[in-house]
Amino acid sequence: MEAIKINHRAQLDKAIKVYVSKVERESGYKLINKNIGYSDFLKNKMLLVYAIREGVSFELFSLIKEVTPFNDDDWASFLGISTKSLQRGKAKEDYIFKPIQSEKIFELAEVTNLGLEVFDTQTAFYAWLKTPSFALGNLMPIELLKDSYGKEMVINELHKIDYGIFA
């Protein structure tokens, strides 16, 4: 199982390198360090701005989706589309998400990347997302991921947990 996840992460890193090359070609944005992986990509805010404007292919979304604890219903809700629309995107060759949806995909990727660093496993992270938090107004963190302000609150809470600050 662990080997599958490591292999998937390698696939995701490779896909990000290809995607970043496309973003550089299309936008004119130039990276100094071309050897960028998934985690570094999510930390480069200017690159993310250009990437959002280019849109996310369904192929890249599928790879990102595999490292998140979210199912199709969660993703459809976050992206503001129906599950059927999500499935239609999968069926279309070369489907590209709109910038607003691409931004949400990267936001959730960022939360998941940090969450997995803090909790070590997808199961523990997903359990935390589904547990009401006093620090987050007794809401489940997953409920806050539907908008950018909520996402920032979840990110801040994950940082506090990582630093051992519990409310």
Side-chain angles (χ1 to χ4, degrees):
M1 178 98 174
E2 192 64 33
I4 292 170
K5 287 186 180 190
I6 291 169
N7 183 41
H8 184 77
R9 189 57 178 239
Q11 283 181 304
L12 185 54
D13 283 341
K14 184 178 176 183
I16 286 295
K17 285 180 180 128
V18 170
Y19 180 67
V20 167
S21 293
K22 178 184 181 260
V23 169
E24 283 185 304
R25 269 191 323 274
E26 301 290 325
S27 70
Y29 179 75
K30 296 293 178 209
L31 276 174
I32 294 170
N33 180 6
K34 304 289 184 194
N35 191 21
I36 188 166
Y38 181 64
S39 293
D40 293 329
F41 170 75
L42 293 173
K43 292 174 184 169
N44 187 327
K45 301 299 183 192
M46 187 57 71
L47 178 57
L48 281 170
V49 167
Y50 285 104
I52 287 164
R53 292 174 183 173
E54 290 300 317
V56 174
S57 69
F58 200 92
E59 182 181 348
L60 180 57
F61 166 71
S62 294
L63 289 170
I64 292 170
K65 183 179 167 229
E66 288 298 315
V67 296
T68 71
F70 310 120
N71 61 34
D72 283 349
D73 290 334
D74 292 332
W75 276 107
S77 176
F78 294 141
L79 298 175
I81 59 176
S82 68
T83 307
K84 284 189 177 214
S85 292
L86 191 61
Q87 294 303 320
R88 278 193 295 274
K90 182 179 183 178
K92 290 181 184 176
E93 192 174 322
D94 297 331
Y95 182 82
I96 303 292
F97 285 94
K98 295 175 183 173
I100 192 79
Q101 295 162 332
S102 296
E103 182 173 17
K104 184 52 72 177
I105 290 166
F106 291 141
E107 285 181 348
L108 293 167
E110 180 185 10
V111 169
T112 299
N113 198 52
L114 178 59
L116 292 176
E117 286 176 14
V118 171
F119 287 99
D120 295 326
T121 69
Q122 207 176 66
T123 305
F125 175 53
Y126 198 66
W128 178 78
L129 285 172
K130 293 286 204 165
T131 304
S133 169
F134 178 75
L136 297 172
N138 289 322
L139 294 173
M140 292 184 288
I142 198 168
E143 293 175 297
L144 294 169
L145 295 178
K146 292 181 182 183
D147 57 67
S148 295
Y149 288 109
K151 173 237 154 190
E152 286 302 318
M153 293 171 68
V154 171
I155 290 277
N156 289 337
E157 194 60 25
L158 285 168
H159 282 299
K160 288 177 185 176
I161 292 168
D162 195 30
Y163 293 125
I165 304 168
F166 297 99

